[in-house]
Amino acid sequence: MQEIAGVLGCSLHKVAYWMGKYNIKIRSRSEATYIKRNPEGDPFKFKNPQDVNGATLFGLGIGLYWGEGTKADLNSVKLGNADPILIQNFMTFLIKNFSIDKTDLKFGLQLFTDIDVDEALDFWTKKLNIKRSQINKPIITKSGSIGTYRKKSQYGVMTVMYHNKKLRDLLVSFLPNNKPM
């Protein structure tokens, strides 16, 4: 509405008045921002699985998101794990089921102080076939007594991220609503 007021050379209140008078729906700021950033529509497109392999991948991806994904972030899809095969499968799920461009995925790496940063970055970029520029600055946590977990995370924990509220909400809608089947 502020942009409309600027173009017309009038106040925001005048625009709000006329929109109300003619029952023109007013978007929330987040809706307006989303539409402005995505003028061609959603940057993803859900594709229903077409065969058994597609259905298996879809079920795997939803299960991974349910078990390992971050549902608390209301604006992004995030899934973290120390297993590169698990991360690869989730990436494939996003790419094949939602037509997401692999280069639009972002990554976060959490390391302990006794892990070589460059070695870990090389490991993850090769395993996931991604560019270093897709990985945010690694988060370094002071090493402590971490027991058997040390072997499992010798290259840290990688989080794959796709920043899109609508996709996050869609994935959450596919999850069982906490009731036993």
Side-chain angles (χ1 to χ4, degrees), residues 93-163:
F93 160 73
L94 292 175
I95 292 164
K96 291 197 177 206
N97 288 286
F98 299 96
S99 303
I100 292 173
D101 187 331
K102 185 177 182 179
T103 61
D104 289 338
L105 295 173
K106 302 295 180 205
F107 299 86
L109 181 58
Q110 184 170 1
L111 302 170
F112 292 103
T113 51
D114 58 349
I115 297 173
D116 181 85
V117 174
D118 285 324
E119 187 179 329
L121 286 168
D122 285 342
F123 171 82
W124 285 106
T125 55
K126 287 176 184 158
K127 286 289 186 181
L128 302 178
N129 192 25
I130 59 173
K131 296 178 179 157
R132 265 199 191 197
S133 60
Q134 288 178 266
I135 304 174
N136 296 336
K137 182 179 176 184
I139 296 170
I140 313 288
T141 304
K142 185 177 179 185
S143 298
S145 175
I146 53 178
T148 59
Y149 191 69
R150 180 70 182 98
K151 278 187 180 179
K152 294 178 185 171
S153 75
Q154 71 185 71
Y155 297 106
V157 174
M158 180 61 81
T159 300
V160 59
M161 301 175 274
Y162 186 73
H163 303 295

Side-chain angles (χ1 to χ4, degrees), residues 3-172:
E3 286 181 29
I4 293 169
V7 168
L8 296 176
C10 65
S11 71
L12 174 65
H13 298 290
K14 188 171 268 192
V15 173
Y17 168 79
W18 287 106
M19 288 181 76
K21 182 172 175 91
Y22 289 99
N23 294 319
I24 299 171
K25 182 181 176 241
I26 298 173
R27 294 185 190 116
S28 69
R29 283 186 183 203
S30 68
E31 283 179 289
T33 300
Y34 187 89
I35 290 168
K36 188 171 184 173
R37 289 184 180 165
N38 301 288
E40 304 294 319
D42 292 328
F44 66 90
K45 184 177 189 288
F46 175 61
K47 296 180 197 170
N48 277 314
Q50 298 299 309
D51 56 25
V52 172
N53 289 335
T56 301
L57 177 63
F58 183 76
L60 175 67
I62 293 300
L64 287 174
Y65 186 66
W66 189 19
E68 299 288 325
T70 303
K71 279 73 69 191
D73 185 331
L74 302 179
N75 299 304
S76 299
V77 174
K78 294 181 181 179
L79 179 135
N81 202 279
D83 183 350
I85 296 170
L86 188 144
I87 299 292
Q88 286 171 331
N89 278 299
F90 191 71
M91 290 169 57
T92 301
F93 160 73
L94 292 175
I95 292 164
K96 291 197 177 206
N97 288 286
F98 299 96
S99 303
I100 292 173
D101 187 331
K102 185 177 182 179
T103 61
D104 289 338
L105 295 173
K106 302 295 180 205
F107 299 86
L109 181 58
Q110 184 170 1
L111 302 170
F112 292 103
T113 51
D114 58 349
I115 297 173
D116 181 85
V117 174
D118 285 324
E119 187 179 329
L121 286 168
D122 285 342
F123 171 82
W124 285 106
T125 55
K126 287 176 184 158
K127 286 289 186 181
L128 302 178
N129 192 25
I130 59 173
K131 296 178 179 157
R132 265 199 191 197
S133 60
Q134 288 178 266
I135 304 174
N136 296 336
K137 182 179 176 184
I139 296 170
I140 313 288
T141 304
K142 185 177 179 185
S143 298
S145 175
I146 53 178
T148 59
Y149 191 69
R150 180 70 182 98
K151 278 187 180 179
K152 294 178 185 171
S153 75
Q154 71 185 71
Y155 297 106
V157 174
M158 180 61 81
T159 300
V160 59
M161 301 175 274
Y162 186 73
H163 303 295
N164 187 287
K165 178 181 178 31
K166 284 189 176 182
L167 180 58
R168 180 264 176 208
D169 292 347
L170 180 60
L171 287 181
V172 169

